[in-house]
Amino acid sequence: MSIEVLPDVVAAQIAAGEVVERPASVVKELVENALDAGATTITVEAAGGGQRLVRVSDDGHGIPAKEAALAFARHSTSKLRTVADLDSIRTLGFRGEALASIAAVSRTTLVTRHRDATTGAEVLVEGGEVVQARPAGAPAGTVVTVENLFFNTPARLKFLKSESTERRHITQLVTHYAMAYPAVRFRLVQEGREQFHSTGSGDLADVLVETFGLEVFRDMLEVSPQPQPRPDLPPVEVTGFASAPDLNRSNRSHIILFVNGRAVADQSLSYAVIQAYGDLLPPRRYPLAVLMIALPPDEVDVNVHPTKAEVRFRAPDAVFSAVQRAVRYAVGDSAPARVDSADSGWGGNVTARSSDGPAYRVPGGGRPRVPGEEQMRLALKVPDPGRFPRPAEGDTAIPEGPEGPARPRTLPILRVVGQVGATYIVAEGPAGLYLLDQHFAHVRVLYEWLSEQMAAGAEIERETLRTVTVEMQGAAARALESALDVLAALGFGIDLFGGDTFRVRAVPALLAEQEPEAVLTGLVTVLTGVGDADDAALLEALIRQVCALGAYRAGEILSFDEMQGLVQQLERCANPLADPDGNPTLVHISGEDLAQQFRRG
Ligand code: ADP
Ligand code: MG
């Protein structure tokens, strides 16, 4: 073939192939135009998977009648005049080719009235040719109807997927735009049935509930912007929601990202989200996330992809780390040491979080510290950590103690609801309802704390008693006698008074409120039980016994602060799910379980 310039219609069809890949691309372009026109209500209708019909109606500013036909010319746009304008582009469209491309491969009708005009216009374009343009009465705004998509490009038509696949793409597209523009009321009708609507409340949370359902949304954590640590990097603000680690999916397609209000596919940023979870996610599982990334327009090149599905950042690393930082903070992971009780879910406000402030590791002890320590200390019956340094007042930097960051969180953030039968603590978390056994949970907390103290060689705080004399029987007396050194390391001050009589002068502070006789009896039970074990095994058995004796008992009424304190400590235990003897510390009833019980479907 010799070289010839293609006729306009053929050129337009080829160009259209880039922009209009499938029916959902039509929806995308038309919705973007409606948003650019300042619409507050956008209705999308589709039939035949969008191939037979796509109609997008908006209440935006409309097009002046004399410009209506021009909107279909290639490279006609009202949004950009010079190349330099691209640097500050705040509209979704700017190339002026969408309407031309769509009209080249369909039969397209535009009905519009500019909000300052009394009459509107109607333009009909078939296969790229304007076949009719006339004045028309219409409400302010624009309605674009696209019929018989790809009627003149049989190859495209043949490659369309099933109607249900195309419908799915359309639904996804509309819901994503509804997330990015929560103040706009979206309505999607497919095959005559309403599939989705958003309220236009301006609250992303409302859109997510509409999209994912309440059950899923309850397990999402709010992501809020974190300060940019480096002033030389551009400000990048990341907001939205990310799933609690318990809520995850088998692929990464549930990570939805928007850059300056534009849905983008960005492998690297998806990876930043996944990475933020560290090892909190099970292998090959991925989080759900809906994130709005905002940065100055001149930091993003939006003009690198035919459908603008990809963007390029001037400082990709800054964006990557901003996303990672924000998600990591929300997920609470190795937390910049938050010990906050989430107000998440359960009919409550998922977005609200009450932060109890920073926690950090104290010297010689592994216990996270929280403000309100006084109450916590009483609540937890652990020795007074008051001599350890506190973070400076108003210090919002990552509060690391001299020994490093706080212990990582191993349970979701739980909020105490109350106590049942003076034995169980009812708590709620992002993933549903939690019932804790107050004794087993407390044993677990004390056990990890005391084990760490012992391993670190810390001096265990002791409580001096008025001296109590206790008489033991033969074998018990010998067992106790041979364990006196180990007991001393644990904070006991016991000595043999002569024969089978012992004098108790001090006990670990943990056991200060117990009857010394009862404590000794408990110890002797363990000592005679372990036989002639080595010192390590003996110590382990004694640690467990001390924790069991010191822990809240079943039947003990706890104050709210005591319960909250216990829950917060358990959240950061290495093995929070059982006490050292394997008794479960908590029972989890998921939101789904509850919904099923109540037949909420
Ligand atoms: P672009 O959006 O890149 O400018 P389009 O081909 O999508 O190009 O639209 C061409 C022009 O038509 C737009 O610049 C805008 O002025 C006008 N237009 C299209 N759709 C609408 C709409 N729904 N409301 C108001 N104006 C519109
Ligand atoms: Mg456009």
Side-chain angles (χ1 to χ4, degrees), residues 133-193:
R134 60 182 180 91
T142 303
V143 180
V144 179
T145 307
V146 178
E147 292 162 289
N148 284 332
L149 185 65
F150 301 136
F151 79 97
N152 53 353
T153 51
R156 269 288 147 135
L157 199 53
K158 215 167 71 197
F159 279 101
L160 274 189
K161 296 278 191 298
S162 68
E163 285 191 12
S164 64
T165 303
E166 297 303 332
R167 268 200 294 277
R168 201 153 36 75
H169 280 274
I170 292 172
T171 306
Q172 193 173 61
L173 198 118
V174 174
T175 51
H176 288 190
Y177 274 96
M179 292 172 196
Y181 297 86
V184 175
R185 223 146 58 119
F186 280 87
R187 187 163 168 257
L188 172 63
V189 177
Q190 295 219 69
E191 320 300 340
R193 286 215 318 269

Side-chain angles (χ1 to χ4, degrees), residues 475 478-480 482-483 486 524-539 541:
R478 299 292 75 79
L480 188 57
S482 64
V486 181
V524 163
T525 313
V526 171
L527 292 172
T528 49
V530 294
D532 24 278
D534 59 26
D535 273 6
L538 188 65
L539 178 64

Side-chain angles (χ1 to χ4, degrees), residues 33 37 58 61-63 71 76-79 93-96 98-99 142:
N33 281 346
D58 70 60
H61 57 56
I63 307 174
S76 65
T77 180
S78 58
K79 301 169 191 174
F94 51 81
R95 291 188 188 130
L99 284 184
T142 303

Side-chain angles (χ1 to χ4, degrees), residues 474-517:
R478 299 292 75 79
L480 188 57
E481 188 183 351
S482 64
L484 288 181
D485 285 349
V486 181
L487 286 168
L490 271 169
F492 288 96
I494 305 176
D495 40 36
L496 187 59
F497 194 52
D500 292 347
T501 307
F502 294 85
R503 235 174 23 186
V504 184
R505 291 171 289 100
V507 293
L510 200 56
L511 303 180
E513 287 157 35
Q514 317 286 326
E515 286 299 322
E517 291 83 355

